[in-house]
Amino acid sequence: MEYQRLQQLTKTTINNNNFIQTALLSDLRIDGRRPLDYRKLTIKFGRDDGSSEVKLGDTYVISFVTAQLLQPYKDRPNEGSLSVFTEFSPMADPSFEPGRASESAVELGRIVDRGLRESRAIDTESLCVVSGKLVWAIRIDIHVIDNGGNLVDAANVAALAALLTFRRPECSLTGEDGQQVVVHPPEERDPLPLIIHHLPIAVTFGFFSNENLVVIDPTYHEESVMTGRMTATLNANGDVCSIQKAGGEGVSQRVIMNCLKLAHVKAGDITAKIRDTVEIHNTERALRKIKRHSSSVAVDVCGTTARLGGKQNQSVGDNDVNHLDQLKLKDEVNDMECETMSSGQLQSSKSDGVSKNFIGGPSSWDPYSECVDSDSLKASLASRGIAVKQSGLSTPHSKQNDSRSEIKREEQAEEIKTNSPNVGQSNEGKTLKDAVKPKRKRKKRASTNARN
């Protein structure tokens, strides 16, 4: 038998055999697990659809799924085909021989194929293109990279993960008779996923000379010691898809029923892990398909449009960064000029007698109100090679002109009031306080006379 040949090739010492079996009697294993514990399962996907990588402890398996149009079988003209091929690399195990398929490789392929085919997990009728002429033939290639024990379970999970992420091209029928098949590339039409009804999960058990010793997911060293194995394939609903018992010592019916109950629990956990991992992969795949265009910003400055295209984003360096900073500063200065010009035009149209040099108004931007020094701002802009218009920023000189114009308007209003006759007012109503002019008015009159 195959497992006897493996025992001879990887023969362990008597002390190691006794140590492994004695540890199992104490509910311990050489890697620290309990007899019914599973090793850590890791599932990864490649960039291409239909490729997966599975690590089960030290076991490493890769799977690929491909499809091609072939003629169907004569007994099933409306159904596609499914085939499984395995390849054992000599670097994975010293017992693997290059050039030809070993018995263990054939057995591994049959177990995976039987679990998928006999349970009809894949809808093969949906793979038919033209009845009796063309159907899709699905091929699963399983490559064993490292043998750390329990290759069947790792290969089964890898095949299921690759099938869930595989996409086949969409076909359409054309021609006068409607029998001409056109295969559309992915750029024209999105590929279609396979219709998978359920996931048959393989769970392997190892038996030893003592009937009470049963382990799940045996390791490489435990396989060299155990006297028999059984692989049960079930789905998450508890339906038994297949059972494989490859020789060895006999197992009672009670032990088999207990193994099926344990396999049902493990199948539910592995199914949930596979579906969650595939969902995350599909989400990432959908995000990669989104076309991202180069961002462009349009800014309207005084009726003109400045556009920053994608060419600036392509170049990287200090010169580009400085150039972008200068563009931003120019946009800010132009915005301030537009605001001040618009507010100045409104103010000049409403009020007469105001100095023509005064452009700012109540709604204009005042750097002093924002605690900004105009001199430092102009110096920084001049150092960057940006010209600043004098009318764009309010200066202390313009503030003095503003204060003088306000004082003149107040004095003219006071003169009008004093020169106008007071009709209906008597001297009896006036007091000494009214006769004396306020000190503030006298100071203003003196200051204006001195300036004139």
Side-chain angles (χ1 to χ4, degrees):
M1 293 297 175
E2 182 67 17
Y3 70 91
Q4 293 178 353
R5 187 179 70 86
L6 291 176
Q7 287 179 350
Q8 295 177 0
L9 292 175
T10 59
K11 188 174 181 179
T12 57
T13 61
I14 298 177
N15 292 333
N16 290 339
N17 294 344
N18 295 334
F19 174 76
I20 292 174
Q21 295 185 12
T22 303
L24 289 174
L25 291 174
S26 303
D27 290 340
L28 291 176
R29 302 169 73 169
I30 57 176
D31 56 358
R33 292 182 293 158
R34 296 290 181 179
L36 303 180
D37 291 343
Y38 227 79
R39 287 179 293 179
K40 182 180 178 181
L41 178 63
T42 305
I43 304 174
K44 295 181 180 180
F45 300 97
R47 296 188 62 86
D48 298 333
D49 296 335
S51 62
S52 64
E53 302 177 8
V54 172
K55 286 186 178 180
L56 183 61
D58 295 333
T59 304
Y60 186 23
V61 178
I62 298 177
S63 179
F64 302 93
V65 177
T66 56
Q68 60 179 344
L69 290 173
L70 297 176
Q71 291 184 356
Y73 296 108
K74 294 181 179 180
D75 56 342
R76 294 181 179 180
N78 299 327
E79 296 183 6
S81 61
L82 176 67
S83 56
V84 180
F85 297 88
T86 58
E87 181 181 351
F88 284 13
S89 175
M91 68 179 182
D93 195 315
S95 62
F96 297 158
E97 299 178 2
R100 67 181 184 90
S102 60
E103 295 181 3
S104 58
V106 175
E107 181 184 3
L108 175 63
R110 288 180 179 177
I111 294 175
V112 176
D113 182 78
R114 186 182 300 114
L116 293 170
R117 190 190 304 272
E118 298 298 331
S119 64
R120 301 189 69 85
I122 300 176
D123 187 4
T124 55
E125 293 183 358
S126 63
L127 301 176
C128 179
V129 180
V130 180
S131 179
K133 292 185 178 181
L134 286 178
V135 295
W136 285 106
I138 306 300
R139 176 189 173 108
I140 305 174
D141 291 283
I142 300 174
H143 300 266
V144 178
I145 306 302
D146 193 359
N147 181 18
N150 194 12
L151 290 175
V152 176
D153 294 7
N156 181 78
V157 174
L160 292 176
L163 288 171
L164 288 173
T165 57
F166 175 71
R167 301 291 187 272
R168 65 174 180 85
E170 186 177 357
C171 298
S172 61
L173 300 178
T174 59
E176 297 179 357
D177 55 352
Q179 298 296 319
Q180 184 178 358
V181 180
V182 177
V183 180
H184 300 280
E187 292 78 10
E188 295 181 0
R189 296 186 183 181
D190 293 336
L192 302 177
L194 299 177
I195 299 177
I196 301 177
H197 301 297
H198 61 89
L199 299 180
I201 305 298
V203 181
T204 302
F205 298 88
F207 305 105
F208 297 86
S209 58
N210 190 347
E211 185 179 357
N212 296 325
L213 295 179
V214 179
V215 297
I216 294 180
D217 183 23
T219 60
Y220 180 79
H221 298 287
E222 291 173 348
E223 287 180 347
S224 62
V225 178
M226 63 186 188
T227 57
R229 73 171 67 197
M230 183 186 72
T231 301
T233 305
L234 296 86
N235 56 18
N237 299 325
D239 302 328
V240 179
C241 301
S242 65
I243 297 178
Q244 175 76 10
K245 177 68 171 65
E249 295 184 0
V251 182
S252 62
Q253 182 180 1
R254 177 182 59 83
V255 175
I256 293 177
M257 295 304 297
N258 291 334
C259 291
L260 292 178
K261 292 180 181 179
L262 294 173
H264 179 206
V265 178
K266 299 298 181 182
D269 297 340
I270 296 174
T271 301
K273 184 176 182 61
I274 294 175
R275 292 193 181 277
D276 293 343
T277 309
V278 171
E279 184 178 359
I280 295 173
H281 171 73
N282 291 335
T283 303
E284 296 176 353
R285 178 177 177 272
L287 293 176
R288 288 197 302 266
K289 289 181 64 177
I290 298 176
K291 296 181 180 179
R292 302 186 179 275
H293 301 281
S294 59
S295 59
S296 59
V297 181
V299 183
D300 189 9
V301 180
C302 297
T304 60
T305 302
R307 197 166 195 80
L308 302 179
K311 294 183 179 179
Q312 294 178 355
N313 297 330
Q314 295 177 359
S315 59
V316 180
D318 297 337
N319 296 330
D320 296 339
V321 174
N322 295 333
H323 183 60
L324 290 175
D325 294 340
Q326 292 179 2
L327 288 176
K328 292 179 181 179
L329 291 173
K330 287 182 179 179
D331 293 340
E332 294 177 358
V333 173
N334 292 332
D335 291 338
M336 290 187 294
E337 290 179 359
C338 294
E339 291 178 359
T340 52
M341 288 174 64
S342 60
S343 60
Q345 292 175 359
L346 293 174
Q347 184 70 15
S348 60
S349 62
K350 290 182 180 179
S351 60
D352 297 334
V354 182
S355 176
K356 295 181 180 180
N357 294 329
F358 178 73
I359 297 177
S363 61
S364 63
W365 181 80
D366 187 5
Y368 294 96
S369 62
E370 301 292 338
C371 300
V372 179
D373 188 3
S374 62
D375 297 334
S376 60
L377 179 60
K378 289 191 294 182
S380 62
L381 294 176
S383 62
R384 294 176 179 270
I386 302 174
V388 182
K389 294 182 181 180
Q390 185 67 24
S391 60
L393 299 174
S394 58
T395 58
H397 179 68
S398 62
K399 281 185 167 289
Q400 293 178 2
N401 295 334
D402 298 344
S403 60
R404 291 176 181 176
S405 60
E406 290 178 359
I407 293 172
K408 289 181 179 180
R409 288 198 299 271
E410 291 180 359
E411 292 176 353
Q412 292 176 1
E414 291 175 359
E415 290 177 356
I416 293 172
K417 290 182 181 179
T418 53
N419 296 330
S420 61
N422 297 329
V423 181
Q425 293 182 358
S426 61
N427 295 331
E428 295 177 357
K430 292 184 178 181
T431 60
L432 183 60
K433 184 177 181 180
D434 297 331
V436 179
K437 290 185 178 180
K439 187 176 181 181
R440 181 177 61 84
K441 295 182 179 180
R442 286 184 291 174
K443 286 185 177 181
K444 287 184 179 180
R445 179 64 62 82
S447 61
T448 53
N449 294 333
R451 289 174 185 173
N452 296 327

